[in-house]
Amino acid sequence: MNAPATTELPVVVIGAGPAGLAAAAHLLDQGIEPLVLEAGQKAGAAVREWAHVRLFSTWDEVVDPAAEKLLAPTGWTRPDPATYPSGGDWAEQYLQPLADVLGDRVRLGVTVTGVSRTGRDRIVDADREQQPFVVHFTRADGGEERVFARSVIDASGTWATPSPAGGSGLPALGERTAADRIAYRVPDLKDPAVRARYEGKRTAVIGSGASAFTALAYLADLAKSKDGAGTKGVWILRRGISGSTFGGGEADQLPARGALGLAAKAAVDEGHADAVTGFRTETIECDTDGRLVLVGEDGRRLDPVDEVIVLTGFRPDLSFLDELRLGLDERLQAPVELAPLIDPNQHSCGTVYPHGHRELSHPEPGVYLVGMKSYGRAPTFLAMTGYEQVRSVAAAIAGDFDSADRVELTLPETGVCGGAGLFDTPDAQEADGGGCCAPAPQLVQLGAPVTVGAVAGEAPAGGCCGS
């Protein structure tokens, strides 16, 4: 079957999350038909997996203007713009209604397996740019299909590919073996089965972003509950602790994000968690009692824990884009023009320069990675950044380069950038050195200023978002 002329084809959007659905809304605003392909059975499938976590952005900051315009004729009204939605609120009150308005333009339960140029693998130059894209996908029943596209916007995010516990970027030795006691998401402690998993247990939390803050705060709340006696967190940081470790605090322009960092600090100060600094996990062993022992690259061994929560960030799945000519930064796996603007060693969310289709372009014209996926391994992403990205990209696909190049966005200054945010409370505004030659792990009680000062120089500038 021959592909139709490129101008007759839809733009395929991969992923029906916040950025993907916003992209569809902006494409329609430009008079272009989108086709959204979503692996989950509902819109916002990834967001629904952290439904229990409250965002550190208000409703005013997580609703896309073009999407709101599309929703308006249905009688939809934005929830109180000053309140903070949970992931579940965001999915049910915004993403699902938006998907409903898009109707048959959103296909659920289909997994994209490959994207290429029709009749051209990545080697072939001849007439390459004149060929439409071809997108292969599988249905939930195992059947295979393909669809042709004038352009492809990959908004599939990074949720499905969390980074491992291993400090080298690879799974720690034994990590796969211990998979039944390792989680890579913030636990929902309102779920009785999940709560029982951590209740009265000693749990290691690996990571230093907002998700790790949330997990620590959740465990502290559990420890303070009537059934939570014995619950203890062991916070594993690959770097030291400095004044910026807990984010912007009261000075953060996203107040809920600042409160989140302060809640994590309180968990340590109040003794509900110990902080172990400068520890990069190399091996996860099982002791004679069946508990897990984390061993560092320097030989240090921590006291056994019952559970491990790994919150070391996410990384993009690029496997199904292998036949496209992408230009990606060798470190962040983000578009080469965007990478220097989002480098977490230099930037927080608030210092990311406004960017659009030019920074998101690749050697393969017509393909764009947007949303969280565009940031590769950088954790400094905010929803409003993604909305501005897709507005610019949709305008560029439509040929409206005046609009596409007019990228204007003011982001809040930040302390903490990565992950979703504030734990849900009404007032939302011990380890042992067993190695014979290695230094003992450093336990930090953050209420003691002299201790904080002793490690202040170990965290690099801007390192608050990394882990």
Side-chain angles (χ1 to χ4, degrees):
M1 179 180 123
N2 293 324
T6 301
T7 54
E8 302 171 8
L9 297 173
V11 171
V12 166
V13 179
I14 305 173
L21 293 175
H26 281 281
L27 289 166
L28 283 174
D29 200 44
Q30 292 285 349
I32 299 172
E33 276 296 311
L35 175 61
V36 183
L37 303 178
E38 166 59 46
Q41 296 301 317
K42 290 185 177 181
V47 174
R48 294 173 189 275
E49 291 193 27
W50 49 271
H52 58 291
V53 178
R54 194 164 297 281
L55 280 73
F56 50 54
S57 297
T58 63
W59 272 111
D60 193 46
E61 296 157 343
V62 297
V63 173
D64 175 79
E68 187 167 17
K69 178 181 174 182
L70 197 61
L71 285 164
T74 70
W76 183 88
T77 56
R78 184 193 307 219
D80 184 348
T83 61
Y84 297 91
S86 67
D89 296 336
W90 203 16
E92 287 296 334
Q93 299 178 42
Y94 168 64
L95 299 178
Q96 189 61 55
L98 181 53
D100 291 343
V101 169
L102 291 167
D104 291 342
R105 298 182 179 97
V106 179
R107 287 197 61 178
L108 301 172
V110 294
T111 301
V112 174
T113 57
V115 183
S116 186
R117 291 281 187 177
T118 303
R120 306 287 187 275
D121 63 23
R122 67 184 296 161
I123 302 174
V124 179
D125 291 332
D127 297 322
R128 184 177 188 86
E129 293 184 18
Q130 282 67 55
Q131 304 305 312
F133 292 95
V134 59
V135 180
H136 286 215
F137 57 91
T138 58
R139 303 187 305 269
D141 63 6
E144 297 180 277
E145 293 186 42
R146 68 176 178 177
V147 65
F148 298 101
R150 62 186 290 184
S151 188
V152 175
I153 299 175
D154 183 356
S156 60
T158 58
W159 179 255
T161 47
S163 295
S168 300
L170 302 173
L173 299 178
E175 184 169 346
R176 293 188 179 95
T177 303
D180 62 329
R181 279 169 293 166
I182 300 177
Y184 297 87
R185 307 288 189 269
V186 175
D188 181 3
L189 298 184
K190 292 181 180 178
D191 181 323
V194 176
R195 187 180 183 89
R197 177 174 176 174
Y198 298 98
E199 204 169 61
K201 304 290 181 61
R202 182 177 171 87
T203 300
V205 177
I206 305 176
S208 62
S211 293
F213 290 176
T214 304
L216 289 166
Y218 278 5
L219 291 173
D221 278 353
L222 178 57
K224 289 182 281 188
S225 70
K226 66 176 184 178
D227 299 322
T231 304
K232 183 79 171 184
V234 181
W235 186 20
I236 311 298
L237 297 102
R238 293 173 178 170
R239 299 169 178 159
I241 289 181
S242 73
S244 64
T245 297
F246 296 96
E250 295 177 358
D252 199 312
Q253 289 191 20
L254 289 178
R257 183 175 53 201
L260 177 60
L262 295 177
K265 182 178 185 297
V268 179
D269 285 346
E270 294 168 6
H272 299 302
D274 292 326
V276 182
T277 63
F279 189 93
R280 294 180 175 271
T281 307
E282 182 176 74
T283 305
I284 299 177
E285 298 179 353
C286 192
D287 70 6
T288 55
D289 295 324
R291 303 177 81 198
L292 302 179
V293 176
L294 275 60
V295 183
E297 292 178 348
D298 56 6
R300 289 185 286 170
R301 302 172 65 88
L302 303 185
D303 276 352
V305 296
D306 302 289
E307 298 283 343
V308 178
I309 302 174
V310 181
L311 300 168
T312 53
F314 296 85
R315 53 187 61 179
D317 177 7
L318 302 167
S319 59
F320 60 88
L321 304 177
D322 197 46
E323 290 304 318
L324 298 177
R325 298 174 177 180
L326 301 182
L328 298 174
D329 178 73
E330 67 275 10
R331 294 183 304 120
L332 297 181
Q333 295 180 295
V336 290
E337 295 297 322
L338 177 60
L341 306 181
I342 62 173
D343 185 344
N345 292 304
Q346 303 295 327
H347 293 281
S348 67
C349 311
T351 63
V352 172
Y353 188 81
H355 59 275
H357 74 106
R358 297 195 184 278
E359 291 84 359
L360 297 169
S361 63
H362 293 274
E364 190 83 69
V367 61
Y368 301 93
L369 277 58
V370 302
M372 190 68 216
K373 190 161 186 176
S374 72
Y375 273 42
R377 299 193 183 199
T380 49
F381 185 78
L382 289 174
M384 62 184 79
T385 304
Y387 296 156
E388 181 62 12
Q389 287 180 342
V390 297
R391 184 205 63 78
S392 175
V393 165
I397 293 172
D400 183 1
F401 291 101
D402 285 343
S403 177
D405 290 334
R406 192 172 58 252
V407 182
E408 299 175 359
L409 181 64
T410 302
L411 293 171
E413 293 179 4
T414 180
V416 179
C417 310
L422 187 66
F423 64 102
D424 194 7
T425 58
D427 57 348
Q429 301 275 45
E430 96 199 34
D432 175 49
C436 62
C437 301
Q442 186 167 8
L443 297 183
V444 181
Q445 288 298 323
L446 295 174
V450 72
T451 305
V452 175
V455 296
E458 297 180 24
C464 60
C465 300
S467 57

